[in-house]
Amino acid sequence: MEQMINLSENEMLTMWKRVMHIDVVRRECSVERDDGIDLDDLLLTRLRQWYAHLLLTAPLDWVPVEDLRAEVSVTADDMGVVTALLPARCVRPVEWEMAGWSHAVTSFVEPDSLQALAQHSLWTRGGVRRPVAVRHDDRLMLYSIAPGASPVIIQARCVAVPGGDRYVCHRDALATLPKWDESLWMG
């Protein structure tokens, strides 16, 4: 059974209302007020925040993972250090591999870590047998390919924002939807 759901923003908003028990079921009358809050706008803001957090932190089998290599721009310097510009849809890298590497990388180190700092030296830098990926906000620094070789991405799997105002996630992620309480109103 397929465990991933793919909902439009309106479908997801309807689900949130159902989970929070604020879904208006009865429709035989209408009441209009202009002195209250725009509940849909508030819920959409919280929904977008929840989904952004889910993409950033949830287990990989709960979120959409795509190979974005066709959307990545890469350059290599004379020493074989590759700079890969991440597409805007990339929330976090998952698995990357360059042509010539003995294996893919699935660990992405922070720029101020000891392992990242070791990449500044030709003698301690990662290479085709022991590649290293350093994660910056908008790019990856990939260490490294053979000097003079063209940078060719074999795979660039990332948690990615789906297009078209879609919400794609595992059904189990719905258990993390907030319930109706005062925290909804706190900023």
Side-chain angles (χ1 to χ4, degrees):
M1 182 173 130
E2 178 63 37
Q3 294 296 316
M4 295 297 275
I5 59 170
N6 184 337
L7 302 174
S8 70
E9 191 165 68
N10 283 336
E11 292 168 331
M12 195 66 171
L13 179 61
T14 299
M15 181 175 296
W16 265 51
K17 287 179 178 180
R18 212 172 297 133
V19 167
M20 293 181 167
H21 303 291
I22 57 173
D23 190 24
V24 179
V25 179
R26 302 191 60 114
R27 302 200 189 268
E28 58 270 350
C29 69
S30 67
V31 175
E32 288 188 32
R33 291 185 62 166
D34 62 5
D35 63 339
I37 62 168
D38 184 345
L39 185 59
D40 281 0
D41 187 53
L42 175 67
L43 290 175
L44 280 173
T45 299
R46 296 296 187 191
L47 169 61
R48 291 172 185 145
Q49 290 171 342
W50 169 83
Y51 192 61
H53 181 73
L54 185 78
L55 293 177
L56 197 58
T57 62
L60 294 177
D61 58 342
W62 280 18
V63 291
V65 175
E66 297 180 42
D67 190 341
L68 300 179
R69 69 178 165 221
E71 301 174 38
V72 175
S73 172
V74 293
T75 57
D77 68 14
D78 293 340
M79 300 304 294
V81 177
V82 176
T83 302
L85 298 179
L86 299 171
R89 295 187 329 112
C90 175
V91 176
R92 58 182 159 140
V94 173
E95 183 177 20
W96 281 59
E97 185 175 2
M98 299 295 297
W101 283 4
S102 63
H103 61 278
V105 294
T106 56
S107 176
F108 301 87
V109 299
E110 293 298 316
D112 58 350
S113 69
L114 289 176
Q115 190 175 8
L117 295 174
Q119 305 314 304
H120 296 288
S121 167
L122 182 61
W123 306 108
T124 57
R125 170 179 302 162
V128 294
R129 294 194 193 286
R130 196 179 38 87
V132 174
V134 179
R135 169 85 157 104
H136 296 270
D137 289 335
D138 61 345
R139 70 191 183 286
L140 290 177
M141 299 301 295
L142 304 168
Y143 299 90
S144 56
I145 59 174
S150 294
V152 176
I153 301 173
I154 302 298
Q155 66 177 330
R157 295 183 62 238
C158 302
V159 173
V161 175
D165 289 330
R166 304 299 296 182
Y167 290 80
V168 178
C169 64
H170 194 280
R171 290 186 184 282
D172 290 347
L174 299 178
T176 68
L177 288 174
K179 304 298 181 232
W180 181 264
D181 63 16
E182 287 193 25
S183 69
L184 178 67
W185 311 108
M186 305 301 170

Coordinates of all heavy atoms in Angstrom, one line a residue, residues 9 19 27 41-42 47 50 65 70 73 76 99 110 116 120-121 123-124 134 150-151 155 158 165 169 182 184 186-187:
E9 N -2.6 22.5 -1.7 CA -2.6 23.3 -0.5 C -4.0 23.4 0.1 O -4.2 23.3 1.3 CB -2.1 24.7 -0.8 CG -1.9 25.5 0.4 CD -1.0 26.8 0.2 OE1 -1.5 27.7 -0.5 OE2 0.1 26.8 0.7
V19 N -8.3 17.8 11.4 CA -7.5 17.3 12.6 C -7.7 18.2 13.8 O -7.8 17.7 14.9 CB -6.0 17.3 12.2 CG1 -5.1 17.1 13.4 CG2 -5.7 16.2 11.2
R27 N -23.7 23.5 6.4 CA -23.6 24.6 5.4 C -25.0 25.1 5.0 O -25.1 25.8 4.0 CB -22.9 24.2 4.2 CG -21.5 23.7 4.5 CD -20.6 23.8 3.3 NE -19.3 23.1 3.5 CZ -18.2 23.8 3.9 NH1 -18.3 25.0 4.2 NH2 -17.1 23.1 4.1
D41 N -6.1 32.1 6.5 CA -4.8 32.7 6.3 C -3.8 32.3 7.5 O -2.7 31.9 7.2 CB -4.9 34.2 6.3 CG -3.6 34.9 5.9 OD1 -3.0 34.5 4.9 OD2 -3.2 35.8 6.6
L42 N -4.3 32.3 8.7 CA -3.5 31.9 9.9 C -3.1 30.4 9.7 O -2.0 30.1 9.9 CB -4.3 32.1 11.2 CG -3.6 31.6 12.4 CD1 -2.4 32.4 12.7 CD2 -4.6 31.6 13.6
L47 N 0.6 26.0 8.4 CA 0.8 24.8 7.6 C 2.1 24.9 6.8 O 2.8 23.9 6.8 CB -0.4 24.7 6.6 CG -0.3 23.7 5.5 CD1 -0.2 22.3 6.0 CD2 -1.6 23.8 4.6
W50 N 4.9 24.3 9.2 CA 5.0 22.9 9.6 C 5.6 22.1 8.5 O 6.5 21.3 8.8 CB 3.6 22.4 9.9 CG 3.5 20.9 10.0 CD1 3.8 20.2 11.1 CD2 3.2 20.0 9.0 NE1 3.6 18.8 10.9 CE2 3.2 18.7 9.6 CE3 2.8 20.1 7.7 CZ2 3.0 17.5 8.8 CZ3 2.5 18.9 6.9 CH2 2.6 17.7 7.5
V65 N 12.1 12.7 -1.8 CA 13.6 12.8 -2.2 C 13.7 12.6 -3.7 O 13.1 11.7 -4.2 CB 14.3 11.6 -1.4 CG1 15.8 11.6 -1.9 CG2 14.2 11.8 0.1
A70 N 20.0 17.3 -12.7 CA 19.7 18.2 -13.9 C 19.6 19.6 -13.6 O 19.7 20.5 -14.4 CB 18.5 17.7 -14.7
S73 N 24.2 23.3 -10.9 CA 25.3 23.8 -11.7 C 26.6 23.5 -11.0 O 26.7 23.8 -9.8 CB 25.1 25.4 -11.8 OG 26.2 26.0 -12.4
A76 N 34.6 23.1 -11.4 CA 35.7 22.6 -10.7 C 36.9 23.5 -10.9 O 37.2 24.0 -12.0 CB 36.0 21.2 -11.3
A99 N 31.3 11.5 -10.9 CA 32.0 10.5 -11.8 C 33.4 10.4 -11.3 O 34.1 11.4 -11.0 CB 32.0 11.0 -13.2
E110 N 29.5 20.3 8.2 CA 29.4 21.7 8.4 C 30.7 22.4 8.1 O 31.8 21.9 8.3 CB 29.0 22.0 9.8 CG 27.6 21.5 10.2 CD 26.5 22.2 9.3 OE1 26.5 23.4 9.1 OE2 25.6 21.4 8.9
A116 N 35.7 19.6 7.7 CA 35.7 20.6 6.6 C 37.0 21.4 6.6 O 37.5 21.7 5.5 CB 34.5 21.5 6.8
H120 N 41.0 22.2 3.4 CA 41.8 23.3 2.9 C 43.2 22.9 2.5 O 43.9 23.6 1.8 CB 41.8 24.4 3.9 CG 40.5 25.0 4.1 ND1 39.8 25.8 3.2 CD2 39.6 24.9 5.1 CE1 38.7 26.2 3.6 NE2 38.5 25.7 4.8
S121 N 43.7 21.7 3.0 CA 45.0 21.2 2.8 C 45.0 20.1 1.7 O 44.2 19.2 1.7 CB 45.6 20.7 4.0 OG 46.8 19.9 3.7
W123 N 46.9 17.8 1.4 CA 47.4 16.6 2.0 C 46.3 15.9 2.8 O 46.3 14.6 2.9 CB 48.6 16.8 2.8 CG 49.7 17.5 2.1 CD1 50.1 18.7 2.2 CD2 50.4 16.9 1.0 NE1 51.1 19.0 1.3 CE2 51.3 17.9 0.5 CE3 50.5 15.7 0.3 CZ2 52.2 17.7 -0.6 CZ3 51.4 15.5 -0.7 CH2 52.2 16.5 -1.2
T124 N 45.3 16.6 3.3 CA 44.3 16.0 4.1 C 42.9 16.1 3.4 O 41.9 15.6 4.0 CB 44.2 16.7 5.5 OG1 43.9 18.1 5.2 CG2 45.5 16.5 6.3
V134 N 31.1 19.3 1.8 CA 30.9 20.3 2.8 C 29.6 21.1 2.4 O 29.6 21.7 1.3 CB 32.1 21.2 3.0 CG1 31.9 22.3 4.0 CG2 33.3 20.4 3.3
S150 N 36.6 16.9 -15.9 CA 35.3 17.6 -15.9 C 34.4 17.1 -14.8 O 34.3 15.9 -14.6 CB 34.6 17.4 -17.3 OG 35.3 18.0 -18.3
P151 N 33.7 18.0 -14.1 CA 32.8 17.6 -13.0 C 31.5 17.1 -13.6 O 30.7 17.8 -14.2 CB 32.6 18.9 -12.3 CG 32.8 20.0 -13.2 CD 33.8 19.5 -14.2
Q155 N 24.8 11.3 -9.3 CA 23.5 11.5 -8.6 C 23.6 12.7 -7.6 O 24.6 12.9 -7.1 CB 23.1 10.2 -7.9 CG 23.9 9.8 -6.8 CD 23.4 8.5 -6.1 OE1 22.1 8.3 -6.1 NE2 24.2 7.7 -5.5
C158 N 18.3 14.7 -3.1 CA 18.0 15.7 -2.1 C 16.5 15.6 -1.7 O 15.7 15.2 -2.4 CB 18.2 17.1 -2.7 SG 19.8 17.5 -3.4
D165 N 2.6 24.0 -5.4 CA 1.9 24.1 -4.2 C 1.4 22.8 -3.7 O 0.2 22.7 -3.2 CB 0.8 25.1 -4.2 CG 1.3 26.6 -4.3 OD1 2.4 26.8 -3.7 OD2 0.6 27.4 -4.9
C169 N 4.1 13.9 1.5 CA 4.7 13.4 2.7 C 4.1 12.0 3.0 O 3.1 11.6 2.5 CB 4.5 14.3 3.9 SG 2.8 14.5 4.5
E182 N -3.8 26.8 22.4 CA -3.4 28.2 22.3 C -2.1 28.4 21.6 O -1.8 29.5 21.2 CB -3.3 28.8 23.7 CG -4.7 29.0 24.3 CD -4.6 29.9 25.6 OE1 -3.6 30.6 25.7 OE2 -5.5 29.8 26.4
L184 N -1.3 27.5 18.8 CA -1.6 27.9 17.4 C -1.6 29.4 17.2 O -1.2 30.0 16.2 CB -3.0 27.4 17.0 CG -3.5 27.7 15.6 CD1 -2.6 27.0 14.6 CD2 -4.9 27.3 15.4
M186 N 0.1 31.6 19.2 CA 1.3 32.2 19.7 C 2.3 32.3 18.5 O 2.4 31.3 17.8 CB 1.9 31.5 20.9 CG 1.0 31.2 22.0 SD 0.4 32.8 22.6 CE -0.8 32.3 23.8
G187 N 3.0 33.3 18.4 CA 4.0 33.5 17.3 C 5.3 33.1 17.7 O 6.2 32.5 17.9

